[in-house]
Amino acid sequence: MDDSALNYLQNTFGYPEFRLQQREIIDTLINAGDAVVLMPTGGGKSLCYQIPSLVRHGTGIIVSPLIALMHDQVIALRQLGIKAAYLNSTLDAATARQTEADLIGGKLDMLYVAPERLNTRSFLHLLQQTQISLFAIDEAHCVSQWGHDFRPDYIQLSILHEQFPDIPRIALTATADKATRKEIRLRLQLEHAREFISSFDRPNICYRIAESQGNARTSLLRFIQNEHENDSGIVYCLSRKKVESTAQWLTEKGFKALPYHAGLPAPVREQNQQRFLNEDAVIIVATIAFGMGIDKPDVRYVAHLNLPKSMEAYYQETGRAGRDGRPADAWMAYGLQDVITLKQMMATSTAAEQFKRAEHQKLETMLGFTEITSCRRQSLLHYFGEALDAPCGNCDNCLTPVETWDATVAAQKALSCVHRTDQRFGVNYLVDVLTGKETDRIRQFGHDALNVYGLGKEYEASQWRTIFRQLISRNLLAVDIEGHGSLRLTEICRSVLRGEETLLLRKESKRSKTSRKGRKSFNTDNASNNALWEALRECRKKLADENNVPPFVIFHDATLSEMMERRPENRQQLLNISGVGETKLEKYADAFLEVISKHKDNETLDTTDTVNETLLLFRSGQDIDTIANRRNIKTTTVYSHLASCIEQGELNLEEVIDLNQQDISIIHETMLSIDDGSRKLKPVYDALDGMFDYHILRCVQAATLPA
Ligand code: ADP
Ligand code: ZN
């Protein structure tokens, strides 16, 4: 069999094999069949029409509603040596005319058009004179009048079938529900199309939800510092104000963090978005206004500093991480205050009753999802009607199984405290009463005379807050409507109060830190790999600037990372790396091969120099942050230099970090117990439950287990 599809995949796109159902979808189109494709974000929908466009005679016409994405796709295709163009309102008249001429002249492999243009008589006339290979209708859910993205122009697209009955069509979407799918088939006259439904699972995304004891920001900072120091990420906040303050705070901590919300002037938004696309390691702090039409493949994490309002929103927002298929994190911190605020919002919403009930239900489900002790992925997929047979092994609950504890007695104490104080007080006051705090307010109300006063001294205030949070989440307590935050008993709490029901709650570890399994972290690798990684990224950035495209259009992170591991020495070896096709090999092989070979030469020289420089500054009494600033390197790099000085006996451990003997032995013991010869710190970090940062581990390793 002639396998031109596979040839294009391997030689033009540089990928070794098809994913999921790509092959079947592509074959369907090549054989002139129609297809309706449902695939999650990052699943690889584009190839499903791009390859048949190349294999079949004529030009592939792709309808796409998002102008920015059209442009991005076209520049990416051109990088691969494919003749692609777009027609939309942003083009000047001359370019548009030239594009039209190219189309009729058969000079284009693919043409992207906006739906409103496709529906014009003049454009249809143009198409009549063109040899067309296929029609692709991207974001096909835009035909649904019930959806959020409804586009009237999409309805008219049925005209394609009427006017070009023999040309195969493919409709694609990442929007899941059945009703939308039915509408797509109906409205686009695709009743006879084959349907391809992929799983909505995003296996490379690790779902993690951390409890934050009041300060979610600090948890966020730790998360970014420890796991994503050099990565691009999105941080979602609920309000504009919080967006601004979080962005500023992260900036003060030395990160490139930019705000994005609807209240910013359009040019600022545009500029911040461009920097996010074009620079490395930019963090966008945004309200949910950010994300639509962003097609950046190497977003390594999406962090939520507030609970999303529904599972749909959570899935969609977290789905912006890891489109390139490499490991990525969906991280969220939430706490008692989030739960209270949300409950109040639900109670005070002025929306129509029916709508309110639906909203309410969605929030409840979301809240329940944060508290579950079983696999998050199973629960998420179940919500979308999909079954996952076994726990996933790549979510916090799978990685660090949550322990539960019998909280019946504690809950009874909390509930009676609410009852005895007449259901008029908020959590802080209730906790004060339970822990027997001596305050004027308590004395004023005479609550120090109650039998619940000081009845809960066995737990700290923070533990009580955790208990209250779970009681509210589980609707054993309700938040008042007036918005003062006072708690009252609910009907369903009675059975717990009467001791008829055992209540199991999550046991929150002091620092619930879970990090992804088997994560390839560049921070924790040795200094040499680090340097090569930086050099490869620099090379990519330079080429990107020269070509006026975002870095990921040159090569994805996955491709660079494979280069780093395999260190190709010639073109053939480079071509074997996933993501390197013939055109890119032609254009970029020399630059990257040179970086790699240079790196090999400098490997030993370089590191000793830079380590010495750090050592000198350190000996002159400067602290780590100052050294990092002065040398314009990361603090983690400074620590890795100092660690190698410790290893060489140039410095003592105590000079570098402040740690007592007991902690040192705990770390040392853990290292010994895990030792598999790899000297990897990640398993140690995980085993210690994130109690010590990587830089501490590295230094202790250098002191106690020199290589
Ligand atoms: P979607 O449109 O479904 O969100 P894309 O078409 O943008 O996804 O593909 C997501 C990423 O996966 C892209 O970077 C693409 O290059 C990559 N990709 C697609 N198919 C393959 C494949 N068979 N092998 C390797 N990478 C692929
Ligand atoms: Zn899981």
Side-chain angles (χ1 to χ4, degrees), residues 9 13-20 22 39-50 73 138-139 174 295 297 323-325 556 578-579:
L9 180 78
F13 290 90
Y15 297 133
E17 54 199 22
F18 286 109
R19 274 190 196 158
L20 302 164
Q22 279 176 334
M39 223 185 246
T41 305
K45 286 187 280 302
S46 325
L47 281 187
C48 296
Y49 54 81
Q50 288 167 345
Q73 291 250 12
D138 207 1
E139 315 288 346
D295 207 353
R323 289 176 83 118
D324 55 8
H556 281 181
S578 178

Side-chain angles (χ1 to χ4, degrees), residues 466-611:
T466 300
I467 294 168
F468 273 106
R469 187 197 78 227
Q470 298 190 63
L471 293 178
I472 299 168
S473 294
R474 289 167 179 241
N475 290 322
L476 297 172
L477 282 171
V479 184
D480 71 325
I481 313 185
E482 292 79 31
H484 308 305
S486 58
L487 300 181
R488 57 186 167 74
L489 304 177
T490 63
E491 210 37 58
I492 61 168
C493 85
R494 314 255 168 224
S495 61
V496 175
L497 206 47
R498 285 196 295 258
E500 292 161 11
E501 199 186 313
T502 315
L503 184 68
L504 296 179
L505 292 185
R506 284 176 76 100
K507 197 184 261 176
E508 308 283 355
S509 57
K510 258 211 183 103
R511 284 177 176 172
S512 67
K513 287 272 165 281
T514 309
S515 345
R516 198 188 313 103
K517 189 174 66 175
R519 171 165 192 274
K520 172 117 201 69
S521 169
F522 301 110
N523 308 338
T524 56
D525 276 339
N526 62 44
S528 162
N529 264 354
N530 227 329
L532 176 55
W533 176 245
E534 291 305 327
L536 289 169
R537 298 233 284 199
E538 214 168 277
C539 174
R540 175 174 70 174
K541 178 79 177 109
K542 191 166 147 275
L543 293 169
D545 289 345
E546 281 168 19
N547 287 273
N548 201 15
V549 296
F552 56 77
V553 170
I554 305 288
F555 285 127
H556 281 181
D557 280 2
T559 305
L560 294 195
S561 136
E562 218 180 305
M563 285 186 203
M564 186 175 81
E565 266 161 33
R566 310 210 337 215
R567 305 201 173 183
E569 288 174 356
N570 54 45
R571 288 172 161 246
Q572 190 49 47
Q573 290 174 357
L574 191 59
L575 193 59
N576 285 339
I577 285 175
S578 178
V580 184
E582 280 163 359
T583 306
K584 286 190 175 174
L585 183 79
E586 216 38 65
K587 286 194 200 164
Y588 307 129
D590 291 344
F592 284 96
L593 287 173
E594 192 186 321
V595 169
I596 294 165
S597 93
K598 231 188 197 158
H599 176 79
K600 282 185 180 161
D601 296 344
N602 291 348
E603 214 154 32
T604 39
L605 279 177
D606 258 11
T607 40
T608 39
D609 274 1
T610 177
V611 169

Side-chain angles (χ1 to χ4, degrees), residues 228-300:
H228 292 288
E229 196 171 24
N230 298 306
D231 294 336
S232 306
I234 305 175
V235 175
Y236 283 113
C237 304
L238 215 53
S239 69
R240 295 176 185 183
K241 215 171 103 191
K242 194 159 167 190
V243 163
E244 300 268 354
S245 64
T246 307
Q248 191 183 346
W249 188 74
L250 285 171
T251 306
E252 282 160 17
K253 300 287 171 200
F255 292 92
K256 278 195 272 181
L258 306 171
Y260 190 103
H261 59 70
L264 290 170
V268 176
R269 277 207 315 262
E270 175 62 20
Q271 193 193 5
N272 289 353
Q273 179 171 327
Q274 282 309 322
R275 287 190 59 191
F276 181 61
L277 290 177
N278 293 329
E279 293 175 25
D280 279 333
V282 172
I283 305 170
I284 276 278
V285 186
T287 54
I288 48 171
F290 183 80
M292 254 306 264
I294 294 293
D295 207 353
K296 188 173 163 62
D298 55 358
V299 176
R300 294 270 64 87

Side-chain angles (χ1 to χ4, degrees), residues 367-423:
L367 211 48
F369 177 72
T370 62
E371 301 280 356
I372 56 167
T373 52
S374 57
C375 174
R376 304 240 190 239
R377 191 180 313 274
Q378 277 182 320
S379 162
L380 188 62
L381 289 175
H382 177 77
Y383 181 81
F384 291 112
E386 214 179 290
L388 186 66
D389 292 337
C392 76
N394 193 27
C395 72
D396 52 358
N397 289 347
C398 283
L399 289 167
T400 329
V402 187
E403 287 175 58
T404 53
W405 61 294
D406 184 343
T408 315
V409 175
Q412 284 167 346
K413 290 181 182 178
L415 296 170
S416 14
C417 186
V418 173
H419 179 60
R420 296 280 167 220
T421 53
D422 298 322
Q423 312 190 54

Side-chain angles (χ1 to χ4, degrees), residues 102-120:
D102 289 348
L103 174 67
I104 306 181
K107 292 190 185 143
L108 296 178
D109 296 316
M110 277 167 242
L111 178 72
Y112 285 74
V113 284
E116 55 275 18
R117 179 168 302 246
L118 216 146
N119 289 326
T120 60

